[in-house]
């Protein structure tokens, strides 16, 4: 059987290659770095995390992201196993030492006997004799390949900006002003309930900070980037500030669930949180502080934050452009390009957003490619599961209609969320017969949804032809 080719060694491509090889098929993984570099990557490691080091919530009962963690673990995901092995404290979230994580993924793939790694750019469409290809080139797809894909699909690419948050040296933070605490003291995987550094601002300090953000000097866009919109889940902090003076207080700078250890009787007006970024605990990233401010402006403005007056930055924020397909129109329900069925897509280029979402789409693409190669019926996960719901968004619709125009609007990238799941009848009373209201009712509904998802996912997983073939 000819090998399956995977183009792109990021999270999605790495997971796809792993699933294929673990099923007993040969795979060639193509990664253009370091032969051709990108504007965002800093190493040639596979599965390098270029933005946050957080895989977000690990709560599989109340959070759709945590649910997708659970599903990936059930499929023996390489990305999740390496994340679990290299986790750093982050409250209720799963965050990783980015260097250790990438090194572990790289080592696992390089040492697998079924995987061949080839370094170099695939400039244009893959050769015709590659009968099965997964393209997982992410937000920084090379121009030549991007153009070839678009020409083949007959569609224009849509693009938006992802913003990168700054990273601070821990020993430059003033701990007489900052304190350790997770929001609501919540303990997450490997955490203690004191996993974030918190920097408090009073109202005057917050107002001055907002004024500086709005007036800050931002990076100029290149001509081809000028009309690129932002993804709402990753807005630059100065863009959020410009939308309203209180926006940040209800977003990344919200003070709820935090008590200043240095002054417990006074409630902070706003709080900046920093999360551990490496296993040594020497680096912390500024949570939600992605930005397009120029470097000089960043250093000046962020040092206005109490506790960061003498901060030293290991990395300042920046922007990179993300490109994705109009997937509901150009891909079929197993992620194949309708115009060329030997090409399958995975990761952010399909219109999913987030590390675990990209990994899960890579996982599905790998499994689908194995089923297809063996002549088996391709069986996607049920729409009641996190993976199935995300696949449904990518391939099944969510194209908005422009008011009065009657023409399709823009397909938008999406993080996994419960809004993508089919409705469910949730309990209305607790075990004592008391009627559920408010937050208790919401929690009961989420738990019912995740319990349904886990049960349906296990039935699907147990019947996967891929696993039976691999076991043989």
């Amino acid at each position: 059987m000819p090998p399956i080719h995977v183009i792109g060694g990021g999270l999605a491509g790495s997971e796809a290659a792993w699933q294929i090889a673990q099923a007993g098929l040969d795979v060639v993984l193509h990664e253009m770095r370091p032969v051709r570099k990108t504007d965002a990557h800093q190493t040639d490691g596979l599965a390098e995390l270029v933005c946050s080091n957080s895989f977000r919530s690990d709560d599989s009962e109340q959070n759709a992201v945590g649910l997708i963690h659970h599903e990936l673990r059930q499929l023996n995901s390489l990305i999740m196993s390496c994340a679990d092995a290299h986790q750093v404290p982050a409250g209720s979230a799963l965050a990783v030492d980015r260097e250790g994580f990438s090194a572990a993924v790289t080592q696992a793939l390089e040492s697998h006997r079924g995987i061949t790694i080839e370094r170099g750019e695939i400039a244009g469409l893959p050769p015709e004799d590659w009968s099965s290809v997964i393209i997982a080139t992410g937000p920084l797809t090379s121009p030549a390949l991007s153009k070839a894909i678009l020409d083949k699909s007959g569609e224009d690419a849509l693009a938006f900006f992802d913003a990168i948050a700054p990273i601070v040296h821990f020993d430059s933070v003033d701990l007489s002003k900052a304190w350790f605490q997770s929001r609501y003291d919540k303990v997450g995987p490997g955490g203690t309930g004191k996993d974030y550094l918190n920097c408090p601002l009073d109202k005057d300090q917050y107002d001055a900070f907002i004024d500086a953000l709005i007036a800050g000097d931002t990076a100029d866009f290149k001509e081809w980037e000028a009309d690129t919109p932002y993804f709402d889940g990753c807005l630059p902090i100065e863009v959020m500030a410009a939308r309203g003076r209180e926006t940040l207080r209800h977003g990344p700078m919200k003070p709820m669930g935090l008590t200043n250890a240095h002054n417990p009787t006074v409630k902070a007006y706003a709080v900046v949180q920093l999360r551990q970024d490496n296993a040594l605990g020497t680096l912390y990233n500024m949570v939600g502080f992605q930005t397009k401010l120029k470097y000089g402006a960043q250093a000046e403005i962020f040092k206005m934050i109490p506790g960061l007056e003498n901060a030293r930055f290991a990395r300042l924020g920046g922007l990179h452009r993300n490109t994705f397909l109009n997937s509901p129109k150009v891909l079929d329900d197993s992620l194949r390009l309708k115009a060329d069925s030997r090409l399958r897509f995975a990761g952010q280029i399909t219109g999913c957003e987030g590390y675990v979402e990209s990994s899960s789409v890579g996982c599905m693409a790998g499994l689908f490619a194995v089923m297809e190669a063996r002549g088996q019926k391709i069986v996607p996960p049920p729409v009641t599961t996190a993976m199935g719901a995300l696949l449904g968004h990518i391939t099944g619709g969510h194209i908005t209609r422009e008011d009065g125009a009657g023409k399709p609007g823009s397909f938008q990238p999406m993080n996994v969320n419960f809004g993508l799941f089919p409705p469910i009848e949730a309990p209305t009373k607790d075990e004592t017969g008391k009627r559920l209201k408010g937050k208790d009712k919401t929690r009961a509904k989420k738990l019912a949804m995740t319990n349904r998802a886990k049960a349906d996912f296990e039935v699907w997983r147990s019947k996967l032809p891929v696993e039976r073939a691999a076991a043989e």
Side-chain angles (χ1 to χ4, degrees), residues 43 264 273 403 462:
T43 76
Q273 288 197 306
D403 291 342
S462 68

Side-chain angles (χ1 to χ4, degrees), residues 400-415:
T400 59
R401 295 280 173 177
E402 298 172 0
D403 291 342
K407 297 179 180 179
S410 297
F411 166 63
Q412 291 297 317
M414 184 71 74
N415 295 114

Side-chain angles (χ1 to χ4, degrees), residues 5-237:
H5 293 262
V6 178
I7 303 175
L11 293 165
S14 295
E15 185 64 44
W18 178 258
Q19 293 291 336
I20 295 165
Q22 286 293 90
L25 275 66
D26 291 333
V27 57
V28 181
L29 178 59
H30 303 265
E31 170 54 51
M32 70 179 185
R33 293 175 295 121
V35 177
R36 182 186 174 102
K37 297 182 181 296
T38 76
D39 293 332
H41 291 88
Q42 298 180 0
T43 76
D44 59 2
L46 302 174
E48 178 186 341
L49 307 181
V50 298
C51 296
S52 168
N53 71 323
S54 174
F55 281 41
R56 307 182 348 263
S57 175
D58 202 50
D59 182 353
S60 68
E61 294 185 346
Q62 294 290 314
N63 193 288
V65 175
L67 180 60
I68 223 168
H69 288 187
H70 167 82
E71 293 177 1
L72 281 167
R73 289 183 178 116
Q74 297 307 300
L75 294 171
N76 300 314
S77 161
L78 174 65
I79 295 303
M80 288 306 301
S81 65
C82 291
D84 289 336
H86 293 274
Q87 67 180 26
V88 296
S92 60
L94 172 62
V96 304
D97 177 321
R98 67 179 71 230
E99 292 183 3
F101 168 77
S102 175
V105 174
T106 303
Q107 193 278 330
L109 294 173
E110 287 180 341
S111 62
H112 199 295
R113 64 181 183 179
I115 299 174
T116 301
I117 298 176
E118 294 187 357
R119 299 281 183 166
E121 180 184 0
I122 305 299
L125 288 178
E128 291 292 337
D129 60 349
W130 292 7
S131 58
S132 180
V133 183
I134 295 174
I135 298 176
T137 44
L140 298 173
T141 300
S142 68
L145 179 56
S146 180
K147 184 179 185 305
I149 293 168
L150 295 173
D151 289 345
K152 190 73 172 179
S153 68
E155 290 286 307
D156 292 330
L158 299 175
F160 63 92
F161 282 122
D162 268 345
I164 300 172
I167 294 177
V168 176
H169 288 279
F170 169 72
D171 61 7
S172 69
V173 179
D174 186 350
L175 296 182
S176 70
K177 297 179 180 179
W179 76 96
F180 285 98
Q181 184 187 9
S182 300
R183 202 177 298 280
Y184 302 107
D185 301 309
K186 195 168 183 180
V187 178
T192 64
K194 297 183 177 180
D195 302 328
Y196 289 78
L197 267 176
N198 301 279
C199 300
L201 293 85
D202 61 27
K203 188 176 188 308
D204 289 342
Q205 291 168 331
Y206 177 80
D207 285 337
F209 180 71
I210 295 299
D211 289 338
L213 275 181
I214 294 173
D217 194 9
T218 56
D220 294 330
F221 293 143
K222 297 175 182 177
E223 183 178 348
W224 55 270
E225 295 176 318
D227 296 325
T228 303
Y230 296 106
F231 171 50
D232 270 352
C234 201
L235 285 175
I237 191 167

Side-chain angles (χ1 to χ4, degrees), residues 6 69 138 162 171 183 209 216 240 256 280 284 310 427 432 459:
V6 178
H69 288 187
D162 268 345
D171 61 7
R183 202 177 298 280
F209 180 71
M240 286 188 276
M256 284 77 79
L280 294 174
Y284 275 69
N310 298 307
T432 67
V459 171

